Amino acid sequence: MNPRIEVGILGATGMVGQEFITFLEGHPWFDITWLGASDRSAGKPYREATNWRLDGAMPASVEGMHVEECKPGNAPRLVFSAMDASVATEIEQAFAQAGHVVVSNSRNHRMDPDVPLLIPEVNPDHLKIIPLQQRHRGWKGQIATNPNCSTIVLAMALAPLKQFGITRVMATTMQALSGAGYPGVASLDINGNVIPYIAGEEEKMQRETQKILGDFTGDSIRPLAAKVSAQCNRVPVVDGHMVATSVELEQKPGTAEFIHAIESFSSLPQERKLPSAPPHPLIYLTEHDRPQPRRDVERERGMTVFVGRLRECPVLNYKFIALGHNTVRGAAGAAVLNAELMYSEGLLD
Ligand code: NAP
């Protein structure tokens, strides 16, 4: 029997909020019963409060729902958060204090030492920090976060390499327009162009990767000691962040062993058959010119990271390309899979 769990969305009217609504349509466990946004939207039916910007029509199940202010009280216990970062810190904390389970996309709490920065296939054990979070902060509820949309692509591709001892990583991104939200980058700036700057992105990729690949020590998360250097670029692609990566490993595997580590990577979400878990979190593409955003990013419901073009690197050990769907694996899909793992761990009881 599938569970039926009511969920709310904080910031439901924004771009990521809309991604949540789309991703959760027909979900076997989660039913959207509550939508929250700013006081500009509160009191209006969702169809009036929202400038729907995703492909296809707004789902009929939410059109007539009334948007509420983001205050704890009426919302269900489990809330996904896609709020503007300028307000997410206090509002997410207020919900956790009031007993809600907040599964957040916003950057605000990602680097808090007692908050898991979770990728269910990579660091499910980081959820063990939650009881400490609750004890330290006196919360009945909890906050868990998912990584930044380019970090998640890099961290997933690196996860199976941890066994070889990662010492240095250099990552250069080509990031899609949808990562900048709506209306995002002006068309005159990005048409036929590349913008070699995304505010705060490089620092996030460097620090978040170390935290995600770090170890839970019993009372804290010790970041991976590897040095990570990121360079982030916005490119005229609609969906899909590519990360050109070079990596140095303590015990350099052969090429076949490297590819086998990628292809055989599987973890708790696959074992537990969580509804949003892709059968293969990583897929290695052998064609010399893949992965490509337009051809590959929608495959596997946007939840798989594609790796290709493995070559020897004359500076570090190996170089390769990784590609992931930034608004699915990098946002709504990531958070929904986090909540599924939390349910399977008994954290929603
Ligand atoms: P957005 O389109 O600007 O949406 C922001 C949402 O926050 C709207 O629902 C807005 O409601 C709500 N909000 C604003 N002020 C509020 C307040 N005072 N109280 C309650 N709600 C308030 O932004 P977005 O692109 O969806 O991004 C949302 C969050 O996800 C950000 O923290 C962002 O960094 C993060 N994120 C984005 C992406 C992406 O691909 N875009 C990826 C990963 C993470 P109103 O409509 O009522 O103003």
Side-chain angles (χ1 to χ4, degrees), residues 11 13-16 37-38 40-41 82-85 87 91 105-106 178-179:
T13 51
M15 280 309 291
V16 178
S38 76
R40 295 178 291 276
S41 307
M83 274 180 300
D84 194 273
V87 297
I91 297 178
N105 241 297
S106 300
S178 56

Side-chain angles (χ1 to χ4, degrees), residues 189 274 295 349:
D189 287 337
L274 300 181
R295 299 206 162 96
D349 294 341

Side-chain angles (χ1 to χ4, degrees), residues 10-19 36-42 49-50 67 69-70 81-88 91 105-108 110 146-149 178-182 204 241 326-327 330-332:
L10 304 164
T13 51
M15 280 309 291
V16 178
Q18 295 176 31
E19 295 282 354
S38 76
D39 54 10
R40 295 178 291 276
S41 307
T50 305
V67 177
E69 272 188 75
C70 288
S81 171
M83 274 180 300
D84 194 273
S86 63
V87 297
I91 297 178
N105 241 297
S106 300
R107 65 171 180 267
N108 305 54
R110 284 183 194 148
N146 61 258
N148 160 276
C149 45
S178 56
Y182 188 86
K204 276 188 253 177
H241 288 354
N326 52 295
T327 66

Side-chain angles (χ1 to χ4, degrees), residues 58-278:
M58 177 185 288
S61 54
V62 295
E63 273 184 323
M65 281 174 72
H66 274 76
V67 177
E68 301 200 24
E69 272 188 75
C70 288
K71 290 193 179 139
N74 298 332
R77 178 137 188 271
L78 174 59
V79 288
F80 292 105
S81 171
M83 274 180 300
D84 194 273
S86 63
V87 297
T89 303
E90 286 77 19
I91 297 178
E92 289 181 357
Q93 287 178 1
F95 272 77
Q97 170 97 44
H100 293 273
V101 177
V102 182
V103 182
S104 177
N105 241 297
S106 300
R107 65 171 180 267
N108 305 54
H109 293 289
R110 284 183 194 148
M111 292 308 296
D112 291 4
D114 57 356
V115 172
L117 180 54
L118 196 63
I119 304 177
E121 288 92 343
V122 178
N123 57 355
D125 60 320
H126 288 201
L127 277 178
K128 292 183 189 146
I129 201 86
I130 293 272
L132 279 97
Q133 179 195 107
Q134 292 176 311
R135 209 173 320 133
H136 289 159
R137 308 211 192 201
W139 288 348
K140 290 187 292 238
Q142 55 193 274
I143 299 179
T145 59
N146 61 258
N148 160 276
C149 45
S150 46
T151 307
I152 201 160
V153 179
L154 177 65
M156 282 183 66
L158 291 176
L161 307 180
K162 212 180 147 183
Q163 59 181 307
F164 305 119
I166 302 169
T167 46
R168 289 193 290 174
V169 179
M170 300 193 49
T172 302
T173 69
M174 289 153 267
Q175 297 184 220
L177 293 170
S178 56
Y182 188 86
V185 187
S187 60
L188 277 180
D189 287 337
I190 197 68
N191 241 336
N193 201 14
V194 171
I195 299 175
Y197 175 67
I198 303 173
E201 196 82 351
E202 295 176 351
E203 296 76 10
K204 276 188 253 177
M205 269 190 96
Q206 292 167 183
R207 290 185 312 149
E208 291 183 14
T209 302
Q210 291 166 328
K211 178 171 177 180
I212 295 160
L213 296 176
D215 295 315
F216 178 69
T217 62
D219 58 2
S220 66
I221 294 161
R222 186 180 54 226
L224 185 77
K227 287 189 175 161
V228 182
S229 171
Q231 300 196 61
C232 296
N233 305 286
R234 187 75 68 197
V235 297
V237 159
V238 178
D239 290 316
H241 288 354
M242 280 182 96
V243 188
T245 309
S246 287
V247 62
E248 180 185 68
L249 303 163
E250 265 164 3
Q251 299 106 39
K252 186 183 170 194
T255 313
E257 196 182 353
F258 189 115
I259 293 174
H260 178 73
I262 298 275
E263 285 181 328
S264 60
F265 180 62
S266 187
S267 186
L268 265 189
Q270 286 69 38
E271 196 181 298
R272 294 185 183 168
K273 297 193 174 7
L274 300 181
S276 303

